[in-house]
Structures are given as structure tokens and as C-alpha cells.
Amino acid sequence: MLTIKQNLQEVISGGNPDRYVKQYEFMDIIMEAPMDLPLAPAPGTRVKNKWGITFDWPEGQIGSFPMHDEDHKVLKDITKWRDYVKAPSVKYSDEEWAAAVEHANSVDRNEKYVTAFCAPGVFEMTHHLMSMEDALMALYEEPEAMKELIEYVIEYELAYAAEYLKHIKPDALFHHDDWGSQISSFLSPEMFKEFILPAYKRIYGFWKENGVDLIVHHCDSYAANLVPFMVEMGIDIWQGAMTTNNIPELIENYGEKITFMGNIDSGRVDFPGWTREKIYDDARKACEECGKVYFIPCLSQGLNISSFPGVYEATDEVIDQLSKEMF
């Protein structure tokens, strides 16, 4: 029987896996690393992070999002972004890194990838600062100012990456950046190529140049039209790939260059009245359609969790069952 890491390598190389990769099992994500996470911690909470972005998690909702009313919007004029946007320091003490270092040192690297976690992504940071509408309009109306802001975010990411690599030698990077709705990318491929592709070629290139073997990018949206750019920027696994992307077709066209992790939409199976039967039906359909290589069955959720208790664990159990039935 292959180890978890060996089985993952067989899947992404088009080899001979002996079972399905079970969601996030190959990544041991070091969540203890100090960083300015983009979220409120629980329903009914509101927090302001070090960029000045206020995140609110209303009761009854399944997550938090930045507030962009006049009192909370950080960036009110893209042409004056330097007056509003101040990146926090990436310097943390050894004591603040201690828990992350301890976690990383406890991982059997022959079995799993020690994985760095980074969020939000470059595009997400722009609309966290100013709102989605303002960010999209600024790309058209003030492209040079947006490129300057994106460059500022890149420099922050690279500085944080350097600190991370100094304290921990990760084998993989799990990086978030949502690039679309369920049915369309937010940017046209031409605009994505101009604004976003160069940023990630630098960011992911830096991590890989410094010993990171595997780039896993989370984007739980439609982004099929951006897959060639994902390949070019160095993404090894697209996590969060939803069914609206026609994953079987993408595997046929790009499978030798990138692996697709998802095709079990969280919105279809992760809800208050969830059932194991529904998870099984969706997971089996995904596995039958996508095959055994260049594909990892997984919820589209952006971490190894679910919004409602038990869904993630039940999905793991279903994938184990499907491995027994289909291998």
C-alpha cells in the first residue's frame, strides 16, 4: 500500500495510485503560523485586522466578509491608495513562531507535506480593501494605480514568504484567491493575464525557488477559462474546482499539467439537512466522471472543514468506500 504522499504523487503524475486521495489528507497545514487572517472567528463577531479591514460574521450566516460601508471601507480613492493602505509588519518573534515550528517538526514528511497557508490572495486583497465593485471598476478606470497597489501587495506577500521560509521549511503552499462566481470569472482572461498572472508568477516562483515542491491554489468558483494561466504561474493542484467548470473536460485537456481537486460542491452537500446518501451520490458521480489520475475528490470548501458538523468526515468515509468499490 502506498503512503499518503506516494499515492498523491501517483495521482498528479498520471501514474498508478492504489486509491483515491482523500481530500486534504496529504497536506498538514501549519495554521499556527503568525499571520493576519482575513476573517471574523465565529458567528456574531466582528474584527478589524492589521490592514484596517473590518470583517463581520452575521448570526445565521456561514462565514465572514469585509464591511464596505463608508465608515469601514479602507480604500476610498484608488488614485490615493498610498494615503489609505498601510501594510502591517511581517516580523514576528521566535516566540510567536514557536507553535508553528513545533507543529512542523512533528510531521512525518515521508507521509505528508508540511504546508504553509496564505490568505487572502492578491485579487481578494484589492476588493477587501475597497469593495468588489470598486476594485473591478478601478481595473478599467485606473489601471496604473491598480498595478501599483497590486505591486504593493506582492511585496508584502514576498516579505511574509521570506519570514515563513526562514522559520519553517514547508514542502507545500496552500494559497487562497477566489477568481469568480459559480458561473463566470470576475475578470476576462485578457485582464487576468495583464493584472493577476504576473503577480503569481513572482509569488509562486519565489516559493518554488526556495524549496517548496507543491503549489495548491484554492479557488472555489468558475475559473475554467483561467486554467492555462494557472499552469503558467506554477499551480500544481487547483483546489475548490466546482462542477460548473466541467472538470472531466479540463482533465482531458490539461491533466498532464495540473491536477483538479474538488468536483463535490459544498453548496450541494454541506447544509443543515445533509445526508451521507447525498454525499455518496455526488462523490461517486465525480469519481466516475473524472477518473483516477489528475483528480482528487474533495469538497469545494477552502480548508479541511465543513460549514455543518460531520460533513467533512462523512465525505472522507465516502471516499474510502469509493476507493474500495472502484480500485
Side-chain angles (χ1 to χ4, degrees):
M1 183 176 178
L2 298 170
T3 68
I4 289 173
K5 196 170 185 178
Q6 288 170 340
N7 195 57
L8 183 278
Q9 286 292 335
E10 292 296 311
V11 167
I12 67 177
S13 66
N16 294 292
D18 61 18
R19 61 194 184 279
Y20 288 114
V21 174
K22 192 165 56 180
Q23 303 200 92
Y24 286 82
E25 66 174 352
F26 62 96
M27 289 189 283
D28 202 320
I29 305 173
I30 312 301
M31 295 301 292
E32 297 88 349
M35 68 178 298
D36 201 24
L37 280 172
L39 48 81
T45 62
R46 180 180 296 180
V47 297
K48 180 186 285 190
N49 73 4
K50 294 175 183 177
W51 289 84
I53 303 166
T54 301
F55 294 87
D56 185 56
W57 189 336
E59 292 283 0
Q61 300 300 313
I62 61 172
S64 65
F65 203 74
M67 299 181 68
H68 291 128
D69 58 276
E70 197 61 25
D71 290 337
H72 294 95
K73 187 186 296 185
V74 174
L75 179 50
K76 296 179 170 62
D77 183 346
I78 183 60
T79 66
K80 300 177 181 177
W81 69 267
R82 290 183 181 85
D83 296 335
Y84 295 100
V85 180
K86 305 297 179 185
S89 172
V90 298
K91 301 292 185 180
Y92 295 92
S93 68
D94 289 345
E95 183 179 354
E96 290 172 298
W97 277 101
V101 171
E102 182 180 6
H103 182 172
N105 288 342
S106 73
V107 178
D108 180 355
R109 292 178 187 247
N110 293 316
E111 187 72 21
K112 295 190 177 188
Y113 291 83
V114 171
T115 304
F117 177 78
C118 285
V122 173
F123 175 70
E124 288 174 331
M125 181 59 82
T126 66
H127 69 75
H128 283 191
L129 288 164
M130 67 179 98
S131 84
M132 180 68 76
E133 295 85 353
D134 289 356
L136 293 176
M137 290 298 293
L139 291 167
Y140 286 98
E141 297 179 340
E142 299 292 344
E144 294 309 312
M146 280 294 282
K147 286 178 180 178
E148 292 172 359
L149 176 61
I150 288 170
E151 176 66 23
Y152 188 72
V153 174
I154 294 169
E155 291 300 326
Y156 171 81
E157 279 227 19
L158 293 176
Y160 179 74
E163 289 297 306
Y164 201 108
L165 290 158
K166 184 171 72 175
H167 290 87
I168 296 170
K169 303 296 183 186
D171 309 304
L173 170 67
F174 184 43
H175 198 294
H176 278 220
D177 207 10
D178 289 334
W179 293 330
S181 68
Q182 292 189 32
I183 60 173
S184 175
S185 60
F186 292 129
L187 308 184
S188 68
E190 294 76 15
M191 187 168 280
F192 187 93
K193 182 179 181 180
E194 179 180 354
F195 288 91
I196 305 301
L197 175 62
Y200 279 105
K201 288 178 75 171
R202 287 176 60 193
I203 291 167
Y204 290 159
F206 182 81
W207 285 94
K208 286 204 166 183
E209 288 162 10
N210 285 277
V212 170
D213 296 326
L214 196 68
I215 302 291
V216 183
H217 184 98
H218 166 78
C219 176
D220 56 344
S221 68
Y222 178 85
N225 56 343
L226 306 179
V227 170
F229 302 128
M230 295 188 198
V231 173
E232 186 176 348
M233 66 178 65
I235 293 173
D236 297 294
I237 299 173
W238 169 16
Q239 189 279 325
M242 301 181 68
T243 58
T244 52
N245 290 281
N246 193 345
I247 304 304
E249 181 178 83
L250 289 173
I251 291 171
E252 182 178 351
N253 292 334
Y254 300 102
E256 294 183 0
K257 300 176 181 178
I258 187 171
T259 290
F260 302 88
M261 180 175 173
N263 217 39
I264 306 172
D265 295 350
S266 290
R268 287 176 50 85
V269 300
D270 189 6
F271 58 95
W274 70 272
T275 65
R276 193 181 187 283
E277 291 72 25
K278 174 61 176 168
I279 295 170
Y280 178 87
D281 290 344
D282 280 28
R284 184 173 183 89
K285 183 174 186 290
C287 292
E288 288 176 341
E289 291 178 344
C290 296
K292 298 176 180 177
V293 294
Y294 311 126
F295 170 65
I296 299 169
C298 184
L299 296 170
S300 53
Q301 177 79 270
L303 274 172
N304 52 342
I305 57 174
S306 54
S307 295
F308 296 92
V311 173
Y312 186 86
E313 294 77 11
T315 306
D316 267 358
E317 293 171 4
V318 163
I319 294 168
D320 274 338
Q321 180 179 346
L322 290 170
S323 287
K324 293 173 184 175
E325 293 173 0
M326 303 178 75
F327 275 82

